[in-house]
Amino acid sequence: MKPEAVAQYLRDNPYFFDDHIETLTQIQLPHPHGGRTISLSERQLVALRDKNKDLEKKLREMIAYAQENEALQHKVHEFVIALFGARDLATLQDMIPYMLRDIFAVPHVAMHLWQTNPPSEAVLMFADTENQPICTHNPVEDTATWFGEHAAQLRSYAYMTLHAGSGTIGMLVLASEDKERFYPEMGTMFLQRISEVVSSALHPYLAD
């Protein structure tokens, strides 16, 4: 009899072991974590323990994620307070990249404002068409050059367009040598919030 047929028979006859209780004591199964054999009931206990371990691991991961998320929210809150405490554009231009390196634990941050660093037509077109943050493994047009001597080592990027009204006033880019630091499928909620508050803080100092 094929294994599938045996399995189907037991599913179709849930009281089989009630009528053949001695069979339960005779069945021996290989231990999943060793070479010895164990009874069916022992195997069920092992399976339950393994399942509990998996659940505990997932719970620990969820707790760790929640703690990291809370810490990130706290840093973003401090960032917002600092932004609106700045009194001039020069302070903001220094503060924003510095604080973002800490918030996102990312080594490279570049902020280009069109008023002081006019973009290429291709970069401007990208900024005008992308309203949401973009995470990618490839630099957009010539933006890798914004990172100077580090450009050749960078493997992932997060792009945030800065807006004032209906127009764009610049672009904020996070970059890393780690290819997995930013990737297309990652969530961008915090990046979007950062883009919005930075845009709001810069707007009074820049022409529309």
Side-chain angles (χ1 to χ4, degrees), residues 1 7 9 25 28 46 54 60 84 109-110 126 143 155 166-167 174 208:
M1 183 178 289
Y9 176 82
T25 63
Q28 295 292 307
V46 171
D54 288 340
R60 288 195 299 270
F84 290 97
V109 178
F126 171 82
T143 56
R155 295 294 179 267
S166 59
L174 312 183
D208 291 345

Side-chain angles (χ1 to χ4, degrees), residues 145-158:
T145 62
W146 297 359
F147 297 95
E149 62 184 11
H150 302 289
Q153 287 76 46
L154 300 179
R155 295 294 179 267
S156 63
Y157 307 81

Side-chain angles (χ1 to χ4, degrees), residues 72 75-76 79 91-112 146-148 150 154 160 172-177 181-182 191 194 198:
L72 183 57
K75 286 185 176 181
V76 171
F79 178 62
T91 300
L92 286 171
Q93 287 179 297
D94 290 337
M95 177 194 300
I96 290 168
Y98 175 80
M99 293 193 72
L100 288 180
R101 290 188 193 99
D102 176 58
I103 290 174
F104 289 99
V106 63
H108 307 288
V109 178
M111 184 174 71
H112 273 222
W146 297 359
F147 297 95
H150 302 289
L154 300 179
M160 292 166 276
L172 190 57
V173 188
L174 312 183
S176 173
E177 290 86 355
R181 184 64 183 83
F182 302 107
L191 295 176
I194 291 294
V198 169

Side-chain angles (χ1 to χ4, degrees), residues 35-166:
R36 67 188 182 89
T37 59
I38 56 176
S39 68
L40 180 60
S41 58
E42 287 180 290
R43 180 64 181 83
Q44 289 175 314
L45 286 174
V46 171
L48 285 173
R49 291 193 193 102
D50 288 344
K51 184 176 181 179
N52 285 338
K53 287 179 181 178
D54 288 340
L55 290 173
E56 288 173 2
K57 180 182 178 182
K58 290 178 181 178
L59 179 59
R60 288 195 299 270
E61 289 173 350
M62 289 176 63
I63 292 173
Y65 176 77
Q67 291 172 337
E68 290 175 2
N69 201 40
E70 183 178 355
L72 183 57
Q73 289 186 25
H74 180 68
K75 286 185 176 181
V76 171
H77 178 68
E78 290 184 336
F79 178 62
V80 172
I81 292 174
L83 279 183
F84 290 97
R87 291 291 178 263
D88 55 69
L89 180 59
T91 300
L92 286 171
Q93 287 179 297
D94 290 337
M95 177 194 300
I96 290 168
Y98 175 80
M99 293 193 72
L100 288 180
R101 290 188 193 99
D102 176 58
I103 290 174
F104 289 99
V106 63
H108 307 288
V109 178
M111 184 174 71
H112 273 222
L113 304 178
W114 304 160
Q115 183 171 293
T116 54
N117 291 286
S120 64
E121 289 187 14
V123 170
L124 185 59
M125 183 178 297
F126 171 82
D128 287 342
T129 56
E130 297 295 342
N131 293 320
Q132 301 295 321
I134 298 293
C135 295
T136 176
H137 291 144
N138 301 305
V140 172
E141 301 300 336
D142 60 350
T143 56
T145 62
W146 297 359
F147 297 95
E149 62 184 11
H150 302 289
Q153 287 76 46
L154 300 179
R155 295 294 179 267
S156 63
Y157 307 81
Y159 287 88
M160 292 166 276
T161 300
L162 304 175
H163 294 86
S166 59

